[in-house]
Amino acid sequence: MKAYCLNKISPVALKGLKAPDTIVDDISAADSILVRSQAMHEMTLGDNILAVARAGAGVNNIPFMDYANKGVVVFNTPGANANAVKELVLCGLFLGSRDVVGGSAWVNNNKDDVDIAKTAEKAKSQFAGHEILGKTIAVIGLGAIGLMVANACVHLGMNVKGYDPYLTVNNAVKLSKSVQYVEKIEDAIQGADYVTIHVPLLDSTKGMLNAKLFKDFNNTVLLNFARDTLVNEDDLLEALKEGKVRKYVTDFANPRVVNMPNTLVIPHLGASTEEAEDNCAFMAIDELKQYLENGSITHSVNYPDVSCGPKESENRVCVLHKNIPGIISKITTLISSSNSNIVNFINKSRGEYAYSVFDVDGETHVNEIANLESVIKVRVI
């Protein structure tokens, strides 16, 4: 692996690299890219770049589908920063319940008062809040972060309702039996004192928290540590004014939200811990190494995940191609034409793209395979 870093990557993770794996200073000498927040939409990648790994979960800064068409596999690191985000969500839960921020600001504004201890006793009633014990929280999205939040809230003595139409079997097993799983988002929100959202930003989820759902809020605290555009801000403002939403706690600052009433805005600190940055970097590096060294794909956002296992032959031929009928037979025909033997083979598809790996004893016919229509990129390990 010869990776180029577009952002500062955890030095702890980079220090663990051993030759011949290395970080290069010249992108033209790299075979892969490590990135965090740097926008890549205007970048032109050379043919030398085989993969990009985002040290984090979101990939809005990467034109990953354009890269799919160039044969560049894009990875992310789901779950690596989940605990860091979970802890900040819990912090937001407490701050949305108790006006610690307002009370602390009052103390700071009155720090020159020699009788502040006495004055504070008179002023503290304006910062009174609510306890979360016995209250109901709706967790929308039960992925890596939502799952941890739901289970933590159970341990805090809350009544937890969970909603996720795409709940995986693995996460369902990990979900506390005390979480009431519901099949409709409306059922999750109904009667909730708190609502926290943990879903990816897709065309189908953009603005999903809107007036239609806010009508069922009743003096509810809304927590958003996923993406700001999951919430329709026009509808949010009205819900805040009407008291449907008592307080909006979010990790995403933008000019509009910071000027709304009853909001607590945090400057995107969800994954900003040393531990999370280390975890994401370790995972991103491992994903690149596994792909470059043996062809395995794990946590890709534009190609199917494929576990190749150890190489069982002289050569391993890795083919990124369009998902169309007949392409596999054309490749195997080419390989077999020189009496080469296909020892092992695996193929997976994802939408219009597919990935095939052939363990081959004998001639690989790489150039001929690369010239096949719908083949995007071929390499031999």
Side-chain angles (χ1 to χ4, degrees):
M1 181 183 76
K2 293 179 177 61
Y4 179 81
C5 297
L6 283 180
N7 297 105
K8 181 181 177 181
I9 301 296
S10 162
V12 175
L14 296 183
K15 192 177 293 184
L17 288 175
K18 297 179 181 179
D21 298 323
T22 186
I23 300 299
V24 297
D25 296 326
D26 183 358
I27 193 170
S28 66
D31 54 23
S32 53
I33 292 174
L34 286 164
V35 62
R36 290 179 62 204
S37 58
Q38 176 71 40
M40 300 184 67
H41 293 276
E42 303 302 320
M43 286 184 63
T44 300
L45 298 187
D47 292 338
N48 54 302
I49 300 299
L50 302 175
V52 174
R54 159 81 162 93
V59 288
N60 293 0
N61 58 319
I62 305 171
F64 55 91
M65 293 314 296
D66 289 341
Y67 285 180
N69 205 42
K70 298 176 184 293
V72 177
V73 180
V74 179
F75 301 89
N76 67 346
T77 57
N81 58 15
N83 185 71
V85 179
K86 177 208 74 175
E87 290 186 1
L88 194 64
V89 172
L90 295 179
C91 176
L93 175 63
F94 290 121
L95 294 178
S97 305
R98 307 285 291 273
D99 192 8
V100 176
V101 173
S104 180
W106 180 91
V107 171
N108 189 60
N109 291 334
N110 291 272
K111 60 186 177 183
D112 296 326
D113 182 358
V114 294
D115 292 321
I116 191 169
K118 189 177 295 184
T119 310
E121 288 300 318
K122 297 178 180 178
K124 68 180 183 180
S125 61
Q126 63 186 296
F127 307 112
H130 301 270
E131 297 180 21
I132 63 171
L133 181 65
K135 300 299 192 303
T136 297
I137 184 169
V139 182
I140 310 303
L142 296 168
I145 297 170
L147 170 70
M148 297 176 75
V149 170
N151 288 346
C153 288
V154 167
H155 290 297
L156 289 170
M158 303 186 76
N159 301 314
V160 183
K161 295 194 288 185
Y163 166 77
D164 189 334
Y166 306 105
L167 179 64
T168 65
V169 173
N170 187 48
N171 281 5
V173 171
K174 295 177 182 177
L175 190 65
S176 169
K177 291 181 173 57
S178 297
V179 175
Q180 179 189 351
Y181 181 78
V182 297
E183 296 184 354
K184 295 181 179 180
I185 190 171
E186 293 82 1
D187 293 337
I189 289 170
Q190 191 69 44
D193 303 291
Y194 303 86
V195 173
T196 181
I197 185 166
H198 303 284
V199 301
L201 179 59
L202 307 169
D203 288 341
S204 59
T205 60
K206 186 175 182 180
M208 66 179 290
L209 288 179
N210 51 37
K212 181 180 178 181
L213 295 178
F214 287 147
K215 66 180 178 57
D216 292 326
F217 280 46
N218 183 19
N219 201 32
T220 305
V221 175
L222 175 60
L223 308 169
N224 181 7
F225 289 78
R227 283 290 181 269
D228 56 346
T229 48
L230 294 170
V231 179
N232 182 304
E233 292 178 357
D234 290 332
D235 296 347
L236 171 64
L237 180 58
E238 290 303 311
L240 285 165
K241 289 178 178 178
E242 296 171 1
K244 292 287 187 180
V245 175
R246 182 170 85 241
K247 187 175 284 289
Y248 180 53
V249 185
T250 181
D251 200 24
F252 306 99
N254 67 48
R256 190 161 190 211
V257 168
V258 296
N259 288 290
M260 289 186 183
N262 298 320
T263 58
L264 176 57
V265 185
I266 301 169
H268 203 189
L269 299 181
S272 295
T273 67
E274 290 184 9
E275 295 87 351
E277 291 180 7
D278 292 346
N279 291 341
C280 287
F282 276 118
M283 184 183 288
I285 289 171
D286 185 64
E287 290 166 349
L288 290 179
K289 282 172 56 63
Q290 289 298 321
Y291 177 62
L292 296 170
E293 292 176 7
N294 67 28
S296 291
I297 295 179
T298 306
H299 299 141
S300 173
V301 297
N302 60 354
Y303 273 96
D305 284 2
V306 175
S307 179
C308 299
K311 189 167 66 171
E312 299 180 10
S313 62
E314 178 185 352
N315 299 300
R316 172 162 285 177
V317 182
C318 303
V319 187
L320 298 167
H321 57 90
K322 292 292 184 70
N323 183 24
I324 62 170
I327 185 63
I328 302 301
S329 64
K330 291 179 181 178
I331 296 173
T332 55
T333 297
L334 279 173
I335 294 174
S336 302
S337 64
S338 58
N339 293 321
S340 296
N341 183 39
I342 298 176
V343 178
N344 194 17
F345 160 68
I346 186 170
N347 165 261
K348 298 285 184 181
S349 63
R350 179 175 184 169
E352 62 177 306
Y353 296 97
Y355 182 52
S356 300
V357 179
F358 304 83
D359 282 350
V360 178
D361 282 334
E363 191 174 347
T364 58
H365 294 276
V366 170
N367 292 332
E368 293 95 326
I369 294 171
N371 288 328
L372 289 173
E373 186 179 358
S374 83
V375 169
I376 300 170
K377 184 168 286 188
V378 186
R379 66 188 182 101
V380 176
I381 299 173

